[in-house]
Amino acid sequence: MLAAVIMVAIAASASAQSATEPTVRPLRFAWGAELGGGVEMSGHNMSTIGLNASFGMQWKWIRFFGVVAEADIMVDNSSRTFPLALNFRTDFCQSRRLLFLDLRGGMALNYFDGDKQETGAYASGGLGVTLASGRTFSSHLIVGYTYIGREQCYVGDRLRNCPGMSYVSMRIGVDF
């Protein structure tokens, strides 16, 4: 019984708080950072741990629009990739900003094992959830799919054309 009363009080407090929050974001500069990782699903043994920084703006229904630079280090070998991309995030609902869509597109500077250097396409899409937010910050968790283009790769000892790398990715970050 006590738990039910507490849950009703929390729900009433949350709805009263959301009614007093402004529904329109003013145009402002935004920046953030994320720590993440990706499990590589295309069989190249290239699962990653990475860190990124982003700079851009927020306005109205645009949660974030700007550029992102990332550094990914492969866990099982000495390969690295550095994606540079445009990042666009939008809320699904303007009054409640719990869930959002995260889209990224650009290029990746790839430095693979054996001094193989390539530039490939980079694309990422994900669904995010807001963990905590205040007047000047917002933390989030994003789960999604990431593609990094790759022209050639080793299959055994032979160098062959590669279809690219596909990842299930997860990022935890904060925006200011």
Side-chain angles (χ1 to χ4, degrees), residues 21-83:
E21 291 179 0
T23 59
V24 176
R25 284 187 187 101
L27 177 64
R28 70 181 191 94
F29 173 75
W31 64 279
E34 294 174 331
L35 176 65
V39 176
E40 200 265 325
M41 301 181 306
S42 38
H44 301 299
N45 199 24
M46 295 282 200
S47 294
T48 68
I49 293 177
L51 180 67
N52 74 42
S54 56
F55 301 94
M57 55 78 110
Q58 293 179 338
W59 185 54
K60 292 186 181 182
W61 53 271
I62 300 172
R63 185 180 182 107
F64 181 82
F65 181 70
V67 295
V68 62
E70 188 169 338
D72 292 328
I73 290 121
M74 285 31 173
V75 176
D76 290 335
N77 55 48
S78 63
S79 299
R80 311 162 301 290
T81 184
F82 300 97

Side-chain angles (χ1 to χ4, degrees), residues 96-166:
R96 295 184 188 255
R97 297 187 172 136
L98 180 63
L99 296 176
F100 61 91
L101 178 66
D102 180 81
L103 299 173
R104 300 169 192 223
M107 66 178 200
L109 307 173
N110 301 317
Y111 298 91
F112 296 122
D113 231 0
D115 293 328
K116 178 86 174 109
Q117 298 178 11
E118 293 180 357
T119 300
Y122 172 81
S124 180
L127 181 63
V129 62
T130 302
L131 300 175
S133 64
R135 275 191 27 224
T136 59
F137 81 97
S138 176
S139 63
H140 59 266
L141 176 70
I142 299 171
V143 176
Y145 169 80
T146 301
Y147 171 81
I148 296 177
R150 185 173 182 185
E151 293 176 14
Q152 296 181 330
C153 62
Y154 284 98
V155 178
D157 291 337
R158 298 185 66 187
L159 189 62
R160 298 189 178 210
N161 290 337
C162 249
M165 298 179 291
S166 294

